[in-house]
Amino acid sequence: MNNDFTFAIIKPNAVRTGKTGPILAMINEGGFEITAMRMVRLTKSQAESFYSIHQGKSFFEGLIDFMISGPVVVMILRHENAVADFRKLIGATDPGKAEPGTIRKIFAVSVQMNAVHGSDSSESAQIEANFFFSGIERFNT
Ligand code: UDP
Ligand code: MG
């Protein structure tokens, strides 16, 4: 039984422009099982805490303003080798460098507004999943 999982966010630019459904379809077609999901509007302090690793970087303030600009969809995704495989499905941070057919290549409008988040390690996935979901909201993760 494969219990590996990652944590993902559909970012405000994608939700706002009606791309939630198409992105969820690509996630399903990629073989990922959604084991928890919710739409939420982040507070400033939640966004700052979620992205605290980037505090002090030049893009931090802009990133926070963007992430609180509208609702996002947060989810836990189960798949074998989930972290690496989801990063592959979404493509590079900079959509200009993302492979054709990746979610960011298709739906990103800039480096900042790059449509989706995916955890960078299993440790991050655990922390990020716990940040948004209690055990009772999660199925098999
Ligand atoms: N970001 C940005 N400018 C940059 C680098 C990153 O606005 O120069 C934003 C972008 O939305 C990115 C997020 O900050 O997804 C987190 O950056 P990270 O380097 O962790 O990229 P990711 O792990 O999301 O690919
Ligand atoms: Mg990252």
Side-chain angles (χ1 to χ4, degrees):
M1 179 109 164
N2 160 43
N3 285 315
D4 199 9
F5 70 88
T6 191
F7 172 81
I9 302 179
I10 303 177
K11 295 186 180 183
N13 69 293
V15 173
R16 189 184 298 126
T17 57
K19 303 305 191 303
T20 300
I23 290 172
L24 289 175
M26 286 185 71
I27 290 171
N28 282 326
E29 283 155 18
F32 293 84
E33 181 188 353
I34 299 169
T35 59
M37 181 164 67
R38 189 189 321 115
M39 184 179 272
V40 59
R41 179 89 185 244
L42 298 179
T43 65
K44 191 167 191 206
S45 77
Q46 281 175 323
E48 286 173 343
S49 173
F50 183 81
Y51 277 120
S52 59
I53 191 170
H54 295 304
Q55 209 127 25
K57 294 184 187 167
S58 59
F59 63 83
F60 183 74
E61 295 298 335
L63 173 63
I64 298 308
D65 285 346
F66 163 57
M67 289 301 293
I68 67 173
S69 68
V72 298
V73 175
V74 295
M75 64 192 108
I76 299 172
L77 303 173
R78 195 169 72 167
H79 192 267
E80 194 179 333
N81 201 19
V83 169
D85 281 5
F86 190 66
R87 299 280 298 196
K88 203 168 167 191
L89 179 68
I90 68 178
T93 308
D94 177 351
K97 295 176 182 153
E99 293 291 323
T102 59
I103 293 175
R104 282 171 165 168
K105 188 67 171 187
I106 296 167
F107 298 109
V109 294
S110 66
V111 176
Q112 178 189 78
M113 299 187 191
N114 60 2
V116 282
H117 166 83
S119 305
D120 62 9
S121 67
S122 289
E123 294 69 32
S124 298
Q126 186 70 252
I127 292 165
E128 293 171 0
N130 289 340
F131 189 89
F132 285 102
F133 296 104
S134 65
I136 202 166
E137 296 174 291
R138 295 160 62 162
F139 298 88
N140 303 317
T141 52

